[in-house]
Structure formats: structure tokens, C-alpha cells
Amino acid sequence: MGWQRFGLHAVLVLCSVVMLTPMVWLIAATIKGPDDLFHYLFFPSPSRFSLYNFRQLFEQIPYVRFMINSLFVAGATVLVQLFFSSLGGFALAKYEFKGKRLIMVLMLTTMMIPAQVMLAPMYELIYAMGLVDSYWGLIIPGAVSVFGMFLFRQSMLDLPDDLLQAGRIDGCTELRLYWDVVLPVQRPMIGAFCLIAFMGSWNNFLWPQIILHSQERFTLPIGLNQMVGLYAQEYGAMMAGTLLAVLPVVLLFFLLQKEFISGLTAGAVKG
Amino acid sequence: MNALFFRLQHRYAPYLFVAPFVILFLTFTLYPIAKSLSLSFYITNGPKSQVFVGWDNFRFLWGDPAFHRAVWNTCTYALTSVFLQLPLSLGLALLLNSRLVKGRNFFRFGFFSPHLVGQVFVAVLFSVVFIPKFGLLNRVLHALVGTAIDTKWLGNPELVMPALVLTSLWMYVGFNMIYFLAALQSVDRELYEAAQVDGAGAFKQFVHVTLPGIRSVAVFVTVLSTIGSFQLFELPYVMLSNTAGPDNSGLTVVMYLFQNGFIAGDLGYASAIGWTLTMGVLVISLAQMRLTGTWKRED
């Protein structure tokens, strides 16, 4: 039994080392000066730590601007998606109405069709609406998350009907019911969805790359990719840009990790 | 009057609640899909000039060597996701699910953490991991083998796909493990005890208790990761500095769609590629669900 336990942990530790090494290497790369970057595999002695890469990063591209743009787009997308998706999920979980089955089928179909087939006509549409090179062109088409609607439907199925009925007898309209009764008890799912939606928007690349044209509107993935093209040899600055771009997601993850893991797997395990 | 308002708002509320989805579905899903079908019969130059060409786009696609290359690369990648990455995810989940493990939450976070780095940022990181002389991979190989390694991972057409697969393993193995682990934890422990009483060994327990217990999740994860693999774009595009790599060795179907539609400006040809992709993905994911019997179980 002892050997088995030891072998198991040895394998797990080995796998963790393999997974974490690129991250440690990334962090080490950001705080090395240009001469040390490839001289030391990981960290040099602390006296040689340098902010050179970050200075390069901020001088060469408007990184702070990209960061603010990304925060704005992701924040707006999360709020809009959260509202519409939970509202839709509520209707699917707790009401009987005509066309409900059809809507569920349409949602499933949407999830199976690769979004890229719609790129060309979507571009024409956004062009016709005059939304090219604007954040509306990013936020409006993605205002409802189908995945989010499934997620909320799943977790709202467990809501007791008596609770809703009690609210109705007290004179709540359906919208009030959603806002005052349903949303407060959906806290964990809201946390999970916020993180999922935030990561989706934060890492979104293809669509923003197509419709954002002016550099001052670029989000981080677009801006960083452009930098890779322009300053291909600035490895240190590229690593610094990558590290800073990942930090907001990591922070949010630590705030919401409990909700996230349960939300991610809830739909899969139950359904 | 008030009572009437209450009855009406109760009856129509669900329609109001799903209205945003329906409106967006009609505008940004149904219309684009139909429009892209019709576009695929045109040659276009930007959004304004269009010439009807019938089946020519599809005929040309059928004989287009670059498209063949893209399909080949994309299928290779998808196959490795399903047959290499998912078994590894399941293996890790089985290890972590063992009752002997101490520090399960730490390991779970360690394996999952690469997924917090989004595709584009992973691609930037790994474009440096793979550089010939000083990249992390060659340095580690150097330490293991003892001689300096100068492999051009992203410059050698033979090695571009392996490099991509390696990157995606790093990014997704832990992510898919989360699903498997949750499924394993929901399997009733009493079933294992019953199997033990009946004299089933570890392998028999795995086949007769574990696999049936995690089946629905396994199907879900397989279908999702197949669909995801067929949409491969960001990873190679950013890793290969916005090119398709030497000899198109990193060209994927979506990248080819993007190049044709948004760099060359032929939205018609791009739509033909998109429709071919959609048909492929639908057929494969429906076949996967059928083979695994998901249809029979639902409804």
C-alpha cells in the first residue's frame, strides 16, 4: 500500500511539474534583462532582476490602452450576457409556453454549428449597420450566450415552484420575481457564468480581429498578436505582455473558483 | 383592470424573456447561415461586388490542394485530441480520484491552470517555447540528452503539427480532466463495493462500473472537443506569426476560410469553405452521438 501511494504521488508531482514549468519559465523571462534572458534558463540571482521588458512593452505598444479596452469589452459583454442568458434560462426552466421545445432545439443546433460559417455574412451585416470598428459590433452579436441559457436553465430547474407561487400571491410581477426571488438564490451559478463569459470575451480573437481596424480600439489579443508580428525578436517584452494579460483572469478565477468548477461540470453531470 | 394586467403579464412573460435569444438567433445565426449558403454560389470582392458562379466554388474547393492540406491538418489535430488528449485526461482524473491522494485540490488546480491562459496568449508563450536554440523545449531536451539541440519546431514542416499537438495537450488535458473527475466522483461508491464482493478486479471494475458511470459525460466531452478541434485557428495562426507555416504545414480549415474571406476578400469562397466545415462537423458529431447511443437515451 505504501509503495502504491508513493508511486501515485510521484506520477502526479511529475505531471504537475510538466504543466507548471512553462508558467514558471514565463514569469522568469519577464524579469530578466536582455543579456540574461537566454543566459539563465529560469531565475538569475535577485540582484539581476530587471524591469527592462515591461519598459519595452509599454514603449513599443499602447499596452495600457489595450488592457483598458479589453476590460471594458469583457465587462460589458459579461453584464449583458448574464442578464439575457439568465432571463432566458428562467423562462425555459419554470414556464410552459408554446415553442419552448423549438427554442431548445434551435439552441442545440446553434451550439453544434461552427460560428465561422457565419463570419462572412455577419461581416456584411455589421458593415451594413455601420458597426465596423466599434465595440457594438462585438457586444451586440454576442449579447445572449446559448451555453449560459443552458447553464441557468439547468440550475433553475431545482427552484421550488412554491417559492415562485408565494411571490405571485404577494403581487410580484414575473420580472420582479426574476429579479428579487430567482437571481439572489442563483449566486453560485452567476459566479461561474461570469468567469466563463469573461474568459470567452477576454480571449476572443477572430471576430475582433475582423471588425476592429484602428489600433486605439484593439483588445489585448489583437494588440499582442500585432506586436508579435512587428517586434518578433522582443521575446522578453512579449512574455511580459502575456503575463500581464493573464493576470485578470487568474484573479477572477481565485475569487470565483468554487462556483466555477461546480458550474462547469453541473450541466455535463446532470444532463 | 389590475387583475387583467396580472394575467396577461404572467402569460406573456416567458415570451418576453426568451425574446432576446430569438431576435439574436434570427439576426445573427439563422440569417447569416442562410446568407452564407447563398454567398457560397458567388465570387465576391469585399462586401460590394458579387458575381454568381453556381457550384464553381465547391468544384474548385474539391480540387484545391491548399484546402486538402487544411482538411488533412485539421483532421490530424482532431484525431489526436480525441485519441491522445482525452485518454490522458481520463487517466489523470482516475489517478486524482484515488482515495490515496493527498492534496487533490492542489493537483487539480495545477493541471487545470494552463487553461486560464487563453489560446492567443498560449500561442505567444509557446512560439517562444519552441524557438530553436534558446526555447524552453530544446533547453530541456538538451538537459535530458546531453547534447545541444537546435530543432526548428516551427520552421520544419514535419514538426509543426507535433508542436501544435504538444501545445494543445498542455492547454486542454487538465481542462477536460475536470469533467472526467466530476463524473468519477458522482459514481456511487457502493457499486464498487458490490463489484468487489462479486470478486471483480480493478480492470473489471473499470469496465463494468466506471465506464458506464461516466458515459454521458464522456460523450459530452468527446463531442465538444471534436467540435472545438475542427475550429482550430488561433493557436497556429498566432504561433506561426500570422502565417500558415512552412509548406502550409500549420494551415487549418478555419485559417483558410479567414485567409480567403478577410485577407483576399472573397466572401463567397470563404462561405463555401464554411459550409463544407459545418457539414463535416454536423455529420461527425451526429455520428459520435449515434455510435454512443445518446439518441436512444434522451426522450
Side-chain angles (χ1 to χ4, degrees), chain B residues 49-96:
Chain B
S49 100
Q50 304 187 339
V51 183
F52 183 79
V53 293
W55 288 96
D56 273 8
N57 280 331
F58 291 96
R59 224 171 279 143
F60 191 77
L61 203 58
W62 187 250
D64 182 350
F67 183 66
H68 295 167
R69 186 71 213 230
V71 171
W72 172 256
N73 289 341
T74 309
C75 288
T76 311
Y77 178 83
L79 285 174
T80 61
S81 307
V82 173
F83 292 104
L84 186 64
Q85 180 190 307
L86 293 184
L88 280 173
S89 302
L90 178 58
L92 278 183
L94 284 169
L95 289 182
L96 268 195

Side-chain angles (χ1 to χ4, degrees), chain A residues 1 4-5 8-9 11-13 15-16 18-23 25-26 38-42 84 87-88 90-92 95-98 101 103 106-107 110-127 129 140-144 146 149 168 171-175 178 199 202-203 205-206 209-210 220-221 224-225 228 235 238-239 242 245-246 249-250 253-254 257 260-261 264-265 268-269 271, chain B residues 5-6 9-10 13-15 17-18 20-22 24-25 27-29 31-33 35-36 39 47-48 50 92 95-96 98 100-102 106-121 124-129 131 134-136 139 169-170 173-175 178-179 182-183 186 216-217 220 223 227 231 233-234 237-238 241-242 254 257-258 262 267 270-271 274-275 277-278 281-282 285-286 289 298-299:
Chain A
M1 211 57 172
Q4 210 179 341
R5 173 173 294 200
L8 179 67
H9 286 88
V11 174
L12 288 175
V13 168
C15 293
S16 314
V18 171
M19 293 307 232
L20 293 176
T21 303
M23 310 256 215
W25 190 69
L26 167 74
F38 292 125
H39 191 261
Y40 298 90
L41 181 52
F42 290 102
F84 287 137
L87 204 57
F90 178 43
L92 294 176
Y95 294 86
E96 287 308 323
F97 56 97
K98 256 191 217 151
R101 279 194 70 87
I103 286 180
L106 294 182
M107 283 165 60
T110 313
M111 281 180 85
M112 296 226 297
I113 292 175
Q116 291 85 357
V117 68
M118 299 164 224
L119 283 179
M122 284 262 284
Y123 182 73
E124 285 190 331
L125 210 58
I126 292 296
Y127 181 86
M129 291 172 167
I140 294 174
V144 180
V146 170
M149 274 173 74
R168 288 191 185 109
C172 280
T173 60
E174 304 301 312
L175 201 60
Y178 157 80
M199 283 174 69
W202 191 257
N203 298 325
F205 179 74
L206 182 51
Q209 169 87 347
I210 288 171
L220 272 174
L224 204 63
N225 175 54
V228 173
Y235 297 120
M238 272 155 58
M239 296 290 92
T242 304
V246 174
V249 179
V250 174
F253 176 80
F254 277 112
Q257 61 166 323
F260 178 61
I261 303 282
L264 196 69
T265 48
V269 175
Chain B
F5 165 75
F6 248 82
Q9 68 87 26
H10 176 67
Y15 296 103
F17 294 171
V18 294
F21 165 73
V22 174
L24 281 190
F25 176 82
T27 325
F28 293 112
T29 304
Y31 167 76
I33 287 179
K35 182 69 203 268
S36 109
L39 260 180
K48 281 174 216 153
Q50 304 187 339
L92 278 183
L95 289 182
L96 268 195
S98 160
L100 301 174
V101 171
K102 284 241 167 65
F106 166 78
F107 288 119
R108 189 175 64 174
F109 174 69
F111 297 155
F112 172 78
S113 56
H115 193 258
L116 292 178
V117 188
Q119 283 217 18
V120 171
F121 307 116
V124 174
L125 169 60
F126 273 72
S127 67
V128 185
V129 165
I131 59 174
F134 302 112
L136 176 64
R139 289 283 288 265
L169 283 181
W170 182 75
V173 163
F175 176 70
I178 299 276
Y179 287 106
S186 72
S216 64
V217 173
F220 172 83
V223 172
I227 296 178
Q231 302 183 20
F233 170 70
E234 282 90 344
Y237 186 73
V238 176
S241 319
N242 301 356
V254 172
L257 183 158
F258 175 76
F262 299 96
L267 295 179
S271 298
W275 261 86
L277 173 71
T278 305
V281 168
L282 280 181
S285 35
L286 290 179
M289 292 193 216
E298 281 172 16
D299 299 80

